[in-house]
Structure formats: C-alpha cells, structure tokens
Amino acid sequence: MAEENSQNTARAQIGVTGLAVMGANLARNLARHGYTVALHNRTTAKTDELLAEHGDEGDFVRTETLQELVDSLEKPRRILVMVKAGAPVDAVIEQLTPLLDEDDIIIDGGNSYFKDTIRREQECAANGLHFVGVGVSGGEEGALNGPSIMPGGSRQSYESVGPLLETIAAKADDGTPCCAWIDTDGAGHFVKMVHNGIEYADMQVIGEAHDLLRSVVGLEPAAQAEVFRQWNTTDLNSYLIEITAEVLSQRDAETGEALIDVIKDEAGQKGTGRWTVQSALDLGAPVSGIAESVFARALSSSDVEARRQAQEHLSAGLISTTGVAQGDPEFIEDVRRALYASKLVSYAQGLDELSKAGAEFGWDLKLDVIASLWRAGCIIRAELLGEIMQAYRGEDAPVNMLLAPGFRKVMEQLVPSWRRVVAKATALGVPVPVFASSLSYYDALRRKRLPAALIQGQRDFFGAHTYQRVDRPGTFHTLWSGDRTEIRTDEEQTAPSTPERVNKEPSK
C-alpha cells in the first residue's frame, strides 16, 4: 500500500478524514466536480466501502494513515475534517498539526460550537496553520448534491478553499453558489448554529399547525398532506413544508395506519438549537420563539413520565370545548397565516441574534449575503429568503426584519388570523408555544410601554440597581429604606460625596 501511495504523492487537491455519511458524500461531491480527493478514515473499512460503491464517480486517493493523507496533498494542503463535534475534532487537530507545514489548512465541516472554533483557530494560527470552521446544511442529500455552506476562518484561507466549496455548493435559481465567506474565526459556525435555531422554530410551528388542523378542524393526516401541498404553492413555499406533506401522506406498511400516528411524540435534538438559545442569552437577543421550540422538544422527550401523570391528573379548565366545523376553510386559512407570521418571527429573531453577535465578536455579518446562502441546499430554504435579502440590501437595512416596509405590510395582514388561532387554541387547551410566544414578541416590539418599568423599580427597591427617567437624562435611585428621596447616581451628580436630592416624597 505504501508503494501505491508513493505513486499518488501530492496529487490530490483536498483530503477528507472521517467517512461517515456526511464526510463520504462531501468527498463524492468534490470528486464529481473534478477534484482529486484523498480519503482517510480511522478504520479503513469505510474507505474501502466508499471506493467499492462509488470509486467510479471521480478520482480518489486511498490512504491508511494521516501521514499518508498529508503526503498525498498538494500545497497548501487542505484537509476537511468530518468527525463528531467536540473532543474528536481536537484529537484530529492534535494528530495533524505536527504533520503539516505553514499555511496548510484544516477545515472543520461538522456542527462544532463556535467558541471551540474560535479557540481552535487561535491554536492553529500559533502553529502557522489556518483553521476554517465551515457550517454545512442540507443533510446527507445536500452534502452529495449541493449543500448550503457557511465558511469562517481567515480571508487568506478562503482564497484557497473558497473555489472548491463554491463549486460543490447548492446553486440558487439565479446560479449563484450558496457559499460565501462569512468572517473570521467562529463566524461560519455561529451562522450555521443560528440557521439551526431558526430550523427548530420552523419545524415546531409546522408541528403546531398540524396539531391544530387535527385537533380543531378534524383533518386526518392524508387530508392534511393535501393542505400542506397547497400551502407550498403560497408564500409558505419551502423545503420543510414540502417534506411535511410527504411525511403526512406516508402510511405504515405494518399497520396500514398513517405513519405519523405510529411515531412516538418524542423529538430529539443534537444541541445546536440549545446553543442558539444559550448564546442569545449571553448576547441579550430575545429569541423567545426559538427558545420555546427547544423547550418543546425537551418537554416531549425528557418529561415523558410527568406528561403521563399529567394526562391523568391535571385539569384542563377549558373555557371552550367546541372546535370549528370539520374542514372549515376559514380556520384552515387562519392557521396558514398564523404559521407564516410565526415563521417570519423565527427568521427575525435569528437575524437579530446575528446582528448582536457581529457587534459582540467584531464580525461584519452581511445579513443579505447570509440570507442568500440559505436559498438552496439547506433545511430552511424558502421563498421568503429573497424578500429578506431585499430588506437588508443597501443602506436602509431595518433594525429588525419585521420593520422592513414589505414585512410590515405582510404582518398587518396576518395578525388578525394569528390572534384568532392563538385564542382558539388556548380556549381548547391545545398547546401552541411558538405561535403564542412569537405573537407576544411581536406585541412587545410594538407596545408603547412595557412592564419593564415596574421590574426596574423592583430591582432598585431590593438591590439599589438604579433606573432612568422618561423626562430627563441621568441615572437615579430612590432611598427606599430611608425617607424615599430620589438621588442622582451617575457621574453628572453635582456633589459626589453627598448625592444630589432631586425629588423628595414623603415616606409612607
């Protein structure tokens, strides 16, 4: 084998280590596009399996060790690491580093946590290497036929890996590759993380719509499939709506029942949605709809025993037991509109988190470009992304997506239906956590006064956390345990040693 490899020395443009389904499909995609791809896996069985089944799809170089992999690559070497996120990525980097030369590039195409990517980029840079964290969306099919690709890392590294990634990426309808440099270090993985958070919310609101169509309107899965197919011809047109119709129309071969009825209602998760919410908390980004979608998955699968007992012992306390007429077209349309409104909020919240992350980490995140990367290949690809691109293009980008003129007009049309659906679901005891929280988010944005004023007053009472006034500048504190005089506490106060008393009220 060593002799065979020596004949293949330094002829591959890229190497792939980690040949599970995603790694194997990306390697095949690269080979299909004319690149010579060096293959490596911890065990050679997967390498040989790929070559036996798909070796005729392009030019592959078989390697058995990381040293052989490195020796087979042109300089600067480009190695795509497709192993499980976390410690396995660090282990591969540790093994590769002494084998590589200055300016060689390690590419992590897994769902790594963006702060790990920042750390790894710094560690590789200290050794003269480039580290590129690449978000890849589209699942197994996308990896093979064209995914959405979100690369971070240095600009210099993108000049080397970018042409390859753009070649294998999905292409939008206008032919533009769904791949572009995001920004330095962990930016690519951060954008992919938020993409997945939006995906969580999108899937949950579709699930809530499905529940309403069955619980309130009485539509069985096969009939719902037709409804979702029709919805996919409207502004809801998207990959997730498309596959929802397929899932709902599928029958179980063993029982003859709708497949959806024999699947346990326990949703799993791998962590990216949770990371989105955790990061949003750190950034102060209110992603309430995305958070509710994560919590809904947790409740479905982690609290199974609590759910079982609650079904027996908790009272519904319904204020209505009457649904709507079976197949009522007006309520079905209301659900469609509520679904679209909630979907728009999930995108708005995700993009808001990206904006705040850009400011926090010094990334120049171009939201119109990011939206363009999601138009094809990825799980959240949808027709509305073209409108999002338009909203963020140019100098007049909105501070929140919902404030863009086009979306303001759309939301005005959707809100009445949205309110009717949430009200009806609540009256009937049908849980709609993301429909409801997204509506509350919308209302909180537009409301003139929020109860935050009372919260700040409470904080000042028990912790002297201060507050600001609506009628004049400055920072203030009321001496709650004293004579309840209001004092000025910021740097503008006239006598630092004796706080200025600006508003004295009699103690009560």
Side-chain angles (χ1 to χ4, degrees), residues 63-81:
T63 71
E64 295 188 357
T65 67
L66 285 176
Q67 183 66 68
E68 289 181 1
L69 177 70
V70 169
D71 290 344
S72 71
L73 296 171
E74 297 176 350
K75 293 185 178 181
R77 302 179 180 94
R78 296 168 286 203
I79 300 176
L80 176 60
V81 179

Side-chain angles (χ1 to χ4, degrees), residues 437-506:
S437 66
S438 298
L439 179 56
S440 290
Y441 172 85
Y442 174 84
D443 282 335
L445 280 179
R446 62 166 199 84
R447 193 164 177 83
K448 185 174 182 179
R449 287 279 289 176
L450 294 173
L454 177 58
I455 294 170
Q456 199 61 18
Q458 293 168 332
R459 295 181 72 240
D460 189 59
F461 189 101
F462 66 69
H465 292 294
T466 73
Y467 54 86
Q468 293 178 322
R469 297 176 59 93
V470 298
D471 54 356
R472 59 179 178 271
T475 302
F476 302 88
H477 166 60
T478 292
L479 301 174
W480 298 102
S481 59
D483 63 1
R484 301 206 174 185
T485 297
E486 183 183 75
I487 62 173
R488 183 93 176 262
T489 64
D490 60 353
E491 68 279 1
E492 297 178 13
Q493 64 190 37
T494 56
S497 58
T498 306
E500 178 187 1
R501 300 196 172 205
V502 295
N503 182 27
K504 184 174 181 178
E505 293 284 347

Side-chain angles (χ1 to χ4, degrees), residues 119-180:
R119 170 181 57 80
R120 290 167 183 152
E121 196 273 341
Q122 292 171 345
E123 292 171 352
C124 285
N127 289 299
L129 305 175
H130 295 281
F131 184 80
V132 179
V134 175
V136 179
S137 177
E140 299 172 11
E141 180 183 350
L144 181 61
N145 298 314
S148 170
I149 305 178
M150 296 151 264
S154 68
R155 187 78 199 190
Q156 180 184 348
S157 66
Y158 190 75
E159 292 174 2
S160 177
V161 303
L164 283 79
L165 298 179
E166 290 178 16
T167 299
I168 69 168
K171 305 300 185 292
D173 289 342
D174 61 4
T176 305
C178 292
C179 174

Side-chain angles (χ1 to χ4, degrees), residues 44-313:
T44 58
K46 285 191 177 294
T47 307
D48 293 335
E49 180 182 337
L50 189 155
L51 289 171
E53 296 181 5
H54 307 290
D56 60 349
E57 293 183 347
D59 191 8
F60 295 105
V61 177
R62 181 184 184 278
T63 71
E64 295 188 357
T65 67
L66 285 176
Q67 183 66 68
E68 289 181 1
L69 177 70
V70 169
D71 290 344
S72 71
L73 296 171
E74 297 176 350
K75 293 185 178 181
R77 302 179 180 94
R78 296 168 286 203
I79 300 176
L80 176 60
V81 179
M82 295 299 299
V83 300
K84 187 177 180 180
V89 177
D90 289 315
V92 171
I93 295 171
E94 184 178 353
Q95 295 169 52
L96 280 173
T97 297
L99 308 179
L100 298 175
D101 296 324
E102 186 174 356
D103 286 334
D104 286 348
I105 305 166
I106 300 173
I107 310 160
D108 176 14
N111 273 333
S112 290
Y113 183 46
F114 78 99
K115 288 188 176 179
D116 287 339
T117 303
I118 292 173
R119 170 181 57 80
R120 290 167 183 152
E121 196 273 341
Q122 292 171 345
E123 292 171 352
C124 285
N127 289 299
L129 305 175
H130 295 281
F131 184 80
V132 179
V134 175
V136 179
S137 177
E140 299 172 11
E141 180 183 350
L144 181 61
N145 298 314
S148 170
I149 305 178
M150 296 151 264
S154 68
R155 187 78 199 190
Q156 180 184 348
S157 66
Y158 190 75
E159 292 174 2
S160 177
V161 303
L164 283 79
L165 298 179
E166 290 178 16
T167 299
I168 69 168
K171 305 300 185 292
D173 289 342
D174 61 4
T176 305
C178 292
C179 174
W181 182 64
I182 301 295
D183 212 305
T184 56
D185 51 65
H189 274 145
F190 191 95
V191 170
K192 174 55 167 41
M193 177 191 75
V194 172
H195 162 285
N196 284 22
I198 295 171
E199 178 185 313
Y200 271 54
D202 205 347
M203 294 173 73
Q204 176 65 25
V205 292
I206 292 172
E208 291 174 19
H210 153 68
D211 195 4
L212 288 164
L213 292 180
R214 195 165 204 182
S215 302
V216 181
V217 190
L219 292 186
E220 293 302 310
Q224 285 193 37
E226 294 308 311
V227 169
F228 276 95
R229 287 194 178 98
Q230 193 280 321
W231 285 358
N232 204 42
T233 66
T234 70
D235 46 17
L236 275 175
N237 176 262
S238 64
Y239 173 71
L240 284 172
I241 295 291
E242 177 187 340
I243 68 169
T244 297
E246 296 302 314
V247 172
L248 289 170
S249 64
Q250 182 70 20
R251 293 220 162 255
D252 176 47
E254 184 175 339
T255 65
E257 297 180 20
L259 179 64
I260 192 72
D261 289 337
V262 299
I263 298 175
K264 280 190 174 182
D265 58 337
E266 301 173 13
Q269 54 181 305
K270 292 187 176 180
T272 47
R274 186 168 62 250
W275 291 345
T276 302
V277 177
Q278 291 169 338
S279 299
L281 290 170
D282 291 338
L283 293 166
V287 296
S288 51
I290 295 173
E292 286 290 354
S293 70
V294 176
F295 296 146
R297 291 197 190 190
L299 188 149
S300 76
S301 56
S302 301
D303 289 339
V304 175
E305 179 57 22
R307 289 177 58 204
R308 186 190 67 77
Q309 293 188 29
Q311 291 164 34
E312 297 179 15
H313 303 299

Side-chain angles (χ1 to χ4, degrees), residues 278-497:
Q278 291 169 338
S279 299
L281 290 170
D282 291 338
L283 293 166
V287 296
S288 51
I290 295 173
E292 286 290 354
S293 70
V294 176
F295 296 146
R297 291 197 190 190
L299 188 149
S300 76
S301 56
S302 301
D303 289 339
V304 175
E305 179 57 22
R307 289 177 58 204
R308 186 190 67 77
Q309 293 188 29
Q311 291 164 34
E312 297 179 15
H313 303 299
L314 293 186
S315 170
L318 301 179
I319 60 174
S320 173
T321 57
T322 306
V324 298
Q326 184 165 359
D328 183 341
E330 291 186 6
F331 191 77
I332 291 173
E333 175 61 12
D334 276 348
V335 173
R336 185 192 73 81
R337 288 167 175 252
L339 171 55
Y340 189 50
S342 300
K343 183 185 184 80
L344 290 177
V345 167
S346 70
Y347 279 86
Q349 290 180 351
L351 294 172
D352 180 58
E353 181 170 355
L354 290 177
S355 294
K356 289 179 168 61
E360 175 70 18
F361 298 108
W363 298 327
D364 182 18
L365 300 183
K366 296 177 173 60
L367 299 185
D368 60 327
V369 173
I370 291 170
S372 76
L373 305 186
W374 295 343
R375 287 181 295 167
C378 73
I379 304 302
I380 64 170
R381 58 186 183 265
E383 186 174 304
L384 66 89
L385 285 160
E387 299 170 53
I388 295 175
M389 288 171 57
Q390 187 64 35
Y392 284 99
R393 189 171 288 151
E395 298 296 323
D396 298 325
V399 294
N400 184 290
M401 189 191 95
L402 300 179
L403 294 172
F407 289 120
R408 288 205 314 264
K409 184 176 180 181
V410 169
M411 294 301 278
E412 182 180 348
Q413 298 169 350
L414 300 176
V415 169
S417 291
W418 200 6
R419 294 196 191 285
R420 285 193 293 269
V421 167
V422 171
K424 192 65 177 177
T426 302
L428 292 171
V430 179
V432 285
V434 178
F435 273 20
S437 66
S438 298
L439 179 56
S440 290
Y441 172 85
Y442 174 84
D443 282 335
L445 280 179
R446 62 166 199 84
R447 193 164 177 83
K448 185 174 182 179
R449 287 279 289 176
L450 294 173
L454 177 58
I455 294 170
Q456 199 61 18
Q458 293 168 332
R459 295 181 72 240
D460 189 59
F461 189 101
F462 66 69
H465 292 294
T466 73
Y467 54 86
Q468 293 178 322
R469 297 176 59 93
V470 298
D471 54 356
R472 59 179 178 271
T475 302
F476 302 88
H477 166 60
T478 292
L479 301 174
W480 298 102
S481 59
D483 63 1
R484 301 206 174 185
T485 297
E486 183 183 75
I487 62 173
R488 183 93 176 262
T489 64
D490 60 353
E491 68 279 1
E492 297 178 13
Q493 64 190 37
T494 56
S497 58

